[in-house]
Amino acid sequence: MSLRSFRFDPSLTREFIAFGGSLYAGGARRVPPFRREIIRQLSPDFYFYQRAGNDHRRFLAYRAGRVAGRIAAMVNAEIRDGDRLPVGLVGFYECVDDDGVAAELLEAAREWLRTEHGVRRIRGPMNFDFWHGYRFLTKGFDREPYYGEPDNPAYYPEQFELGGFAPLRAWNSIEINGREKLEALIAPWRKRHELLLERGYRFVPATRLDLRKEWPALHGLIDRSFDGFPDYTPIPFTEFKALLSGVGFALAADVSGFVYDQAGRAVSFGVIFRDLAGAVRAMNGRITPLGALRFLSRLRKRRRFNFFAAGSLPEEEARGTGVGRAGFFAMIDESLRRGYSDFIFAQMPKDQPIQAFFRRLKIEPQREYTLYEREA
């Protein structure tokens, strides 16, 4: 076996990208990422590579002359440990089911991070930051995947653990099918919603907004809402727009939106996506005329929705208005009114307070995701 390391070498980058597709060839459940998005993220002009203090190195492993694995070692200058020292990251990980190949890749990444940047801790999988791909799926491999879900072979977590990594944080997803449980879930927040309406708060769906004009407000609101979240880092507005443009086709604008306070200030938001896993799978990672036809042919075959993200301004939370719960009620209540009753509440931290409401209804998580860490 041999290893090659590089940064932007065009030929090796093509091999790096191609292996991510060939490894999953024929996988019936796979929802492949769009190839052009991967190319964008690995191109020299991607925003991550322009920021002072950021660095990366890519590695390809070869077995019998063919690519058998890949990994990228990264330093994001804004992700630091408790002593304010940079934390190393490993991402874009793909590997055959061979623990020896995995060990060589992980060790090469560790050695580069330790010797070139002196990091003391390494986390992964994480592609650059909180905003792009991170975490492994660790439970729920038998479930139908949804668009945007971490997707990996079941042996990846074990390869990381054999490489010295241990679980750092965990998230889960909960799927609910049917009106009855959704109505029971939101029932405790109905009065809070009514109270805020009486106080002059407004719950405005995205269909009533010029979203392109609202993007700066949403960018700022998300930035403030997630400030302090583990490993959260802000991204430039240009990259935020690029990410939104890439998923805008899936936005359920009729049930996503903002909450405005009495002064007309956006204080909370919620984002729900239509789960287009089947339609995106049909495109096989490529945006072509044929792929578009396949996408459209499957677009209406599944009416499952993904409650993707929500947040509120910290000062609003500190006031105890309950705007987050009221906004959650408004979104699910409007969804039920429109006949949407199949939901995935996606990638929630296990220690998030809303988990208690699912437990109250005896609804157990069906999927789990894990971020790992090891000493360098």
Side-chain angles (χ1 to χ4, degrees):
M1 199 193 81
S2 61
L3 286 175
R4 298 188 71 177
S5 72
F6 63 101
R7 282 190 170 87
F8 297 113
D9 180 277
S11 177
L12 293 175
T13 296
R14 285 193 292 272
E15 288 190 66
F16 193 91
I17 294 170
F19 180 70
S22 63
L23 183 66
Y24 294 92
R29 73 183 301 277
R30 172 75 166 169
V31 184
F34 287 112
R35 180 180 173 84
R36 73 177 186 183
E37 176 61 17
I38 301 300
I39 292 172
R40 186 179 77 89
Q41 293 179 16
L42 296 176
S43 298
D45 57 353
F46 185 63
Y47 89 95
F48 175 85
Y49 311 118
Q50 311 306 315
R51 286 194 160 181
N54 288 0
D55 198 6
H56 85 290
R57 192 86 184 166
R58 302 169 193 167
F59 299 85
L60 283 169
Y62 295 84
R63 187 179 62 182
R66 303 185 65 174
V67 177
R70 75 180 197 191
I71 198 169
M74 293 158 282
V75 172
N76 183 329
E78 296 191 47
I79 298 179
R80 296 177 177 269
D81 63 19
D83 295 323
R84 303 302 300 157
L85 294 174
V87 172
L89 307 175
V90 289
F92 291 99
Y93 181 77
E94 302 288 1
C95 188
V96 297
D97 190 2
D98 184 323
D99 294 340
V101 175
E104 292 283 349
L105 282 169
L106 291 168
E107 177 59 22
R110 184 195 71 84
E111 182 65 16
W112 182 82
L113 287 165
R114 186 177 63 82
T115 58
E116 294 295 323
H117 290 279
V119 304
R120 299 190 306 186
R121 309 204 69 79
I122 302 171
R123 293 174 190 162
M126 181 178 286
N127 302 349
F128 310 118
D129 50 36
F130 165 100
W131 293 88
H132 300 85
Y134 78 114
R135 300 169 289 200
F136 279 145
L137 175 68
T138 45
K139 292 181 182 177
F141 293 96
D142 59 332
R143 310 291 297 191
E144 172 68 18
Y146 58 85
Y147 181 60
E149 181 178 25
D151 188 13
N152 53 268
Y155 59 83
Y156 278 12
E158 184 178 358
Q159 287 183 338
F160 261 52
E161 291 178 12
L162 289 173
F165 285 83
L168 175 65
R169 283 186 285 276
W171 296 255
N172 60 38
S173 291
I174 294 175
E175 186 166 358
I176 297 179
N177 305 116
R179 295 184 61 92
E180 186 176 344
K181 286 187 176 180
L182 287 170
E183 288 173 344
L185 178 67
I186 64 173
W189 305 317
R190 180 181 296 276
K191 289 185 178 179
R192 175 61 54 178
H193 176 254
E194 293 171 350
L195 177 62
L196 290 186
L197 286 176
E198 292 173 3
R199 291 180 179 177
Y201 282 71
R202 294 181 298 120
F203 300 81
V204 182
T207 47
R208 290 167 50 191
L209 300 168
D210 183 338
L211 285 182
R212 291 190 178 273
K213 289 183 179 179
E214 296 295 333
W215 279 359
L218 180 59
H219 180 236
L221 185 53
I222 290 176
D223 198 33
R224 295 284 312 285
S225 298
F226 284 95
D227 186 31
F229 190 89
D231 294 330
Y232 176 79
T233 58
I235 58 172
F237 181 61
T238 52
E239 176 61 14
F240 180 74
K241 284 199 302 182
L243 289 173
L244 276 187
S245 298
V247 298
F249 64 90
L251 179 68
D254 51 350
V255 291
S256 301
F258 292 95
V259 182
Y260 296 87
D261 65 10
Q262 305 96 319
R265 182 181 61 151
V267 295
S268 187
F269 75 95
V271 177
I272 293 176
F273 289 126
R274 289 177 171 81
D275 179 29
L276 304 181
V280 173
R281 183 187 295 117
M283 299 179 75
N284 197 29
R286 296 179 182 273
I287 300 176
T288 63
L290 179 58
L293 287 174
R294 290 172 175 166
F295 177 86
L296 292 172
S297 71
R298 290 164 173 78
L299 189 58
R300 299 185 181 277
K301 290 188 177 180
R302 186 70 186 268
R303 289 175 62 83
R304 186 169 67 170
F305 290 79
N306 174 356
F307 197 108
F308 180 72
S312 305
L313 290 177
E315 57 266 35
E316 190 72 19
E317 292 286 344
R319 290 173 57 199
T321 61
V323 68
R325 287 168 288 169
F328 184 90
F329 172 89
M331 295 169 70
I332 299 301
D333 187 59
E334 180 63 18
S335 296
L336 291 172
R337 193 181 72 80
R338 292 176 177 271
Y340 309 156
S341 58
D342 293 342
F343 268 84
I344 295 171
F345 297 90
Q347 299 170 50
M348 301 176 292
K350 281 192 169 182
D351 58 356
Q352 197 171 49
I354 196 173
Q355 299 272 2
F357 291 91
F358 291 104
R359 289 194 295 270
R360 176 177 59 83
L361 297 174
K362 296 182 171 56
I363 301 173
E364 296 296 325
Q366 301 95 358
R367 301 167 169 88
E368 180 186 78
Y369 319 92
T370 304
L371 181 70
Y372 289 83
E373 184 180 75
R374 65 157 293 169
E375 293 183 358

